[in-house]
Structures are given as C-alpha cells and as structure tokens.
Amino acid sequence: MKIELQHEPVEKLSLPALAVYSFEEDPSSSGTARRLPSKVQKLLEDLKACGELTGKAYECTLVHQPVGMAVQKLLVVGAGKKEKFKPFHLGRLAGAAVRFLRARAVHEMAWIVGEKDGTKGIQTVTEGAVLADYDADRYRTEQRADRRVDLFALVCDKTPGSEAWAAAIAQGQAIAEATNFTRDLVNEPANQMTPTLLARHAREMAERTGLGYQELGTEEIRALKMGALWAVAQGSDEPPRLMVLRYTPEEAPEAPVIGLVGKGITFDSGGISIKPSQDMHEMKTDMAGGATMLGVMQAIAQLKPRVRVIAVVPSTENMVSGKAYRPGDVITSMSGKTIEVLNTDAEGRLALADGLAYAKQLGCTVLIDAATLTGAVMVALGNITTGVFGSDQEWVNRVISSGIETGERMWQLPVDDDYRELYKSSIADLANTGGRYGGAITAAMFVGDFAGDTPWVHMDIAGTRWSNEEKPYLAKGPTGVPVRTLVHLLMDFAK
Ligand code: BES
Ligand code: MN
Ligand code: ZN
C-alpha cells in the first residue's frame, strides 16, 4: 500500500473514493464529515432522516457521485458516541473504510486528516489502514489480489512538505508492516513453520534489516545445558532452534539492554499429556510470542530508537513419541533449578525458563516476554485482553500505557508469593504446573522465577493472538498482538 499526503481541496480530489467519519450526535456534519461541501452535508441530512445514516460505530454508508465533488464515491464511517471515542479508534475507522472499500474493488482512496490529528493521528490512521489491508489467505489458489488498496491518500489543508508528517506515515507503515509480518508467521501451518523454518525467516529478516543474528541448534542447546528447552524438544523429529537477534545502535546508552523473549512452540500437541483433538489445530499458533518479538525487531531495525534490544526466541515442537519427556520426569534447567514435570502440556514455561536464563547471560537488564502460555488467561480475560504480569511495576505500567495508546488491551493480574505453594514439588525445586485455579498466575510466576532479580514483565497472549471473527477493521485470524504495544513502548522509552 502506498500512502501519501495530498493537499487538494476536498471537492477537487479526483480519486475513486473518499472516506470520512462522523459521530452519532451529528452524523451529517461532525468528525471529518464537517469538511464536506454543504450540499453534500445536506444530502447526508436526508440520509439521516430516513435512518440510513446514524453514526453508529463502524456503520458504513456509501454515497455515489456526491454532488459538487470530483470523487466517484463518498464513504461515511460511523464513529459512535463522541464521549467514548479514544485516539486509537481513529486507526480502526480508517481500517473499516479500507476493508469496506476494498471489498467493493476500490483500489485508490482518500482519507481526510482532522484538524487536531497531528502526527500521532496520522501515524494511527496509517497503522490502521495497513493492518486492515491484510487477509490470511495465502493458501487459497484463487487469489484475491484484486481486493487490495494500492493508494491511500491522506488529505490535509496544511501546506505541503511537512517532514514530521511524512515521518509519521513512515513510522506507522513500518509498525503495521512488521505486525503483518508477525501475522504471516503465526498463520503458517506447523508443517510450513518448523523451528528450522521459523529460524530461516528470522535470519532472512535480520539480514534484510541489518540486525545481528545467531542461532543455536540441538548441539549448542545441549552443550549450554538448557535442560528445560531440550526436554520439550527431545520428543520431536524436528530439531529445536534458539534464535538471538540483536539491535545495537551506536548512540544508545550501555544500559538498559532490553531482552525480548518469545515462546516459539511451532506445534503444541500437549506431548504425552496430550490435548483433546477438538481444537488442536489451533496449536500451530503457539509460536505467536516468538513471532511477536521478530516483528518488533523488524520494526525497530527500521525506526532506530536509541535503546539496546536483544530478542531471544526458543523454538521447538511439543510432540508425542518414544523419545518424548514424560510426566514425572525431573529436569535441570540452564539456571541450575530442577523442575518436576507434572504435565508435558505445560511446555511453554519450560522453553521460556531457558530463554530467560540465556537472555540474562547475554547481558539483558530488563526482560519482557510474550507467550501463548495458558488457557486460563482466556477464561479470565477472553480473547479481547492480554494478561500482564511482572516483578517491576514501572515496566508493567509502561506496557499497559503503551497498550492503551495502540488499542491493544492489557490488564494486569497479580503475582504474589502466596501462590508459590501451588507449584511446589515434593522432589524438585519447582513443579511445572500449579493446578487449575489461578493457572495464568502460577504459569507467569514460574516464568518469573527464572528472571530472578532482573526486572521482568510477562504478557500471556493465548487469547489475543487470534481473532475468530472478522472485525470491521481487521481480518479474521492472527492479530499480531502485542507487536504494536512493544514497538510504541520502545520508541517512547528511547525518547
Ligand atoms: N499453548 C498452550 C496454551 C494455549 C491454550 C494457548 C489455548 C492458546 C490457546 C499451553 O502450552 C498449555 O497447554 N497450557 C496448559 C497448561 C496446563 C497444562 C497447566 C493449559 O493452559 O491448559
Ligand atoms: Mn501446552
Ligand atoms: Zn503451548
């Protein structure tokens, strides 16, 4: 999608379509509908009178050949009630316009920049437009390539040449494209996304963007005594990989070094504690945390914030075989802590345990992990909100406020020593499960135990990695959550 600024008066725009938005209180002339010629606003008044235009959230009303304008189609998107409107909604409105028009074979469209939008607004709109112009349909032989928006023109009356605005567009585009890269990785079926193939994607991305790249295979993983990651990997015929990507800008201070650790289970059958077959196919997405960190690295390689970042993605399948680890096995993690395996389906925390220990060894001074860790977080928060946990409230707050900015919902759940009883083992340092109640918390705390004293934040994205329904502004399928939250966080932090 090409995104450009245009400075023509609204009446003279000669693109196939223009999209504006308006609120419920005044659907014919609020929002950017305010900028339409009065004759067109009169027409919208009539549509309102007969109930075709209400301003309800994401309502799309299409007007053909609007009088006194050069565009062929005018789309009015409802923005809902004004008092409920938040900055991130602007991106969703632009997204809804993109998805509505592309479904009607419109390839070039304009969007009016509001008077108060500024660079933040422009970036939000850009992100929303690029995220909306995505479908997870790579494997359909009948391609829908005709259903894409090629040109998205941002129309503003300010004078041309504003560098800050061009930068806002470039930034929004880089972030949304990185999010779409993550979505592509998450969407791949497990036969096309083994640990080896995931690592190949990571390496290619690193080479393309100039990031440092290293990868550990079976031998290195065993030599480094990553007994927890290896326990999961040993049951699979596919060899494990641990990817390390480094972003080291010269002008950045020595500290902090932010470690981004992502769970990269390319398929989670549950192992010997096998999952029911019902939704097992969804477990191809169990590498969403790892894919998130790869997307974040791609974005920051382009945006160049002044902060050092290292991504660590431990990746393996969790399979059933004669070589698979068993319930009851005791394993020794890289940190030296011993773990009694009570359930082989609690594999994510094992992979993360060694991932975090390795990130610390590489010199990370802050740890942020993302993982499709528990079904329990979906029981608590559904697939709307990511569960956030952490040992350092300042960093937790950074994640949460970044989530509020991007519209990726986050909610903090507690960590507390009183829960520690639940995952005690009678024969080892820890057990890998803590029972059904509070399952998201005990899983998070298990992971946190391997962060030790290093400030740590954990995001459980089991619910939010995927959307089962199509939204007006987003395709069904992989969401790319929480790529945008983390990139915004790193950009703001580096300022
Ligand atoms: N990958 C799953 C969690 C998951 C479930 C992600 C549904 C996305 C959708 C994880 O490895 C897992 O199996 N967790 C278990 C832990 C339990 C055995 C303690 C769970 O949540 O049931
Ligand atoms: Mn599992
Ligand atoms: Zn899993």
Side-chain angles (χ1 to χ4, degrees):
M1 182 190 278
K2 187 172 185 311
I3 302 176
E4 63 179 35
L5 286 167
Q6 287 197 8
H7 304 279
E8 278 196 85
V10 170
E11 302 80 25
K12 295 219 171 105
L13 286 168
S14 59
L15 289 164
L18 167 69
V20 298
Y21 69 88
S22 62
F23 295 98
E24 263 179 60
E25 289 83 357
D26 179 12
S28 59
S29 53
S30 61
T32 51
R34 212 169 1 170
R35 303 262 289 277
L36 295 169
S38 55
K39 274 189 188 159
V40 178
Q41 286 183 347
K42 177 73 188 48
L43 179 81
L44 297 184
E45 281 290 321
D46 295 345
L47 287 173
K48 178 186 158 191
C50 64
E52 257 187 74
L53 183 74
T54 68
K56 288 219 163 67
Y58 308 116
E59 173 192 75
C60 284
T61 310
L62 191 63
V63 178
H64 293 260
Q65 315 291 353
V67 280
M69 295 180 69
V71 292
Q72 290 153 29
K73 294 181 170 83
L74 170 68
L75 174 65
V76 186
V77 185
K81 290 212 163 63
K82 200 160 195 175
E83 64 185 32
K84 285 196 178 170
F85 195 78
K86 306 241 168 60
F88 75 83
H89 284 120
L90 201 53
R92 291 190 175 183
L93 293 178
V98 166
R99 290 192 74 74
F100 184 89
L101 289 170
R102 78 208 273 274
R104 284 152 189 82
V106 173
H107 303 297
E108 301 187 333
M109 61 178 287
W111 177 267
I112 297 180
V113 177
E115 280 120 32
K116 291 186 201 128
D117 285 0
T119 51
K120 279 249 186 241
I122 289 176
Q123 184 180 333
T124 304
V125 166
T126 305
E127 282 181 29
V130 175
L131 290 173
D133 198 29
Y134 174 95
D135 272 312
D137 63 353
R138 206 163 97 68
Y139 288 101
R140 277 194 212 297
T141 50
E142 194 189 321
Q143 275 297 318
R144 294 273 185 77
D146 55 320
R147 299 216 160 161
R148 304 206 72 185
V149 170
D150 304 316
L151 177 68
F152 187 84
L154 285 160
V155 183
C156 49
D157 30 8
K158 302 262 168 58
T159 47
S162 165
E163 264 173 47
W165 292 15
I169 292 176
Q171 188 153 326
Q173 192 150 17
I175 293 174
E177 278 168 3
T179 309
N180 288 346
F181 168 63
T182 293
R183 293 164 89 187
D184 273 339
L185 296 175
V186 173
N187 194 51
E188 284 296 315
N191 62 332
Q192 307 291 344
M193 192 53 69
T194 60
T196 309
L197 292 169
L198 180 61
R200 183 184 299 170
H201 284 286
R203 183 184 340 112
E204 282 171 5
M205 184 274 284
E207 280 166 6
R208 200 166 62 233
T209 55
L211 292 166
Y213 182 78
Q214 273 170 306
E215 125 190 359
L216 313 181
T218 303
E219 267 160 37
E220 291 100 330
I221 287 168
R222 297 188 66 175
L224 285 162
K225 297 197 159 47
M226 296 182 173
L229 174 60
W230 175 248
V232 182
Q234 73 187 48
S236 173
D237 286 344
E238 290 291 337
R241 290 284 182 272
L242 187 141
M243 294 148 246
V244 179
L245 293 89
R246 286 172 207 258
Y247 170 70
T248 323
E250 270 168 30
E251 334 78 78
E254 291 290 307
V257 179
I258 300 181
L260 303 177
V261 184
K263 170 175 172 181
I265 303 296
T266 59
F267 187 72
D268 180 12
S269 71
I272 304 280
S273 317
I274 196 164
K275 288 183 180 294
S277 58
Q278 173 97 66
D279 293 319
M280 203 200 274
H281 62 278
E282 290 185 5
M283 287 302 113
K284 70 172 189 179
T285 65
D286 214 19
M287 32 59 76
T292 292
M293 298 322 186
L294 297 179
V296 172
M297 293 307 279
Q298 171 175 313
I300 62 170
Q302 286 175 261
L303 301 176
K304 309 207 182 315
R306 281 207 230 165
V307 54
R308 300 171 67 155
V309 184
I310 301 177
V312 173
V313 180
S315 179
T316 170
E317 290 186 327
N318 184 22
M319 299 298 270
V320 197
S321 81
K323 294 182 296 171
Y325 75 139
R326 314 153 195 80
D329 283 1
V330 174
I331 57 186
T332 305
S333 66
M334 186 191 188
S335 70
K337 283 194 183 31
T338 56
I339 303 164
E340 183 185 13
V341 176
L342 294 182
N343 190 319
T344 62
D345 198 10
E347 85 298 339
R349 63 199 78 181
L350 300 178
L352 287 173
D354 283 345
L356 288 181
Y358 194 56
K360 281 196 353 177
Q361 196 182 87
L362 294 177
C364 296
T365 60
V366 177
L367 295 165
I368 303 180
D369 81 75
T372 47
L373 205 62
T374 65
V377 85
M378 300 168 78
V379 174
L381 301 172
N383 59 10
I384 310 286
T385 306
T386 297
V388 183
F389 309 75
S391 63
D392 184 294
Q393 196 57 37
E394 211 177 306
W395 279 96
V396 168
N397 291 345
R398 286 197 176 106
V399 169
I400 289 173
S401 55
S402 204
I404 290 170
E405 193 182 322
T406 58
E408 295 183 334
R409 284 197 188 71
M410 307 277 162
W411 197 260
Q412 186 175 7
L413 294 170
V415 295
D416 189 296
D417 280 339
D418 284 357
Y419 289 94
R420 213 170 283 283
E421 294 296 313
L422 296 172
Y423 60 102
K424 264 193 178 159
S425 162
S426 51
I427 61 166
D429 295 338
L430 310 159
N432 80 329
T433 61
R436 225 155 73 78
Y437 293 146
I441 296 170
T442 49
M445 286 181 62
F446 180 100
V447 173
D449 285 352
F450 294 84
D453 296 334
T454 308
W456 156 80
V457 182
H458 161 68
M459 283 178 269
D460 194 335
I461 57 169
T464 48
R465 97 228 108 108
W466 192 265
S467 170
N468 287 320
E469 313 91 43
E470 159 147 21
K471 305 266 169 61
Y473 49 87
L474 206 73
K476 173 183 161 139
T479 57
V481 171
V483 173
R484 289 187 300 136
T485 295
L486 290 176
V487 179
H488 279 256
L489 182 158
L490 293 170
M491 295 301 290
D492 290 344
F493 179 77
K495 264 181 204 155

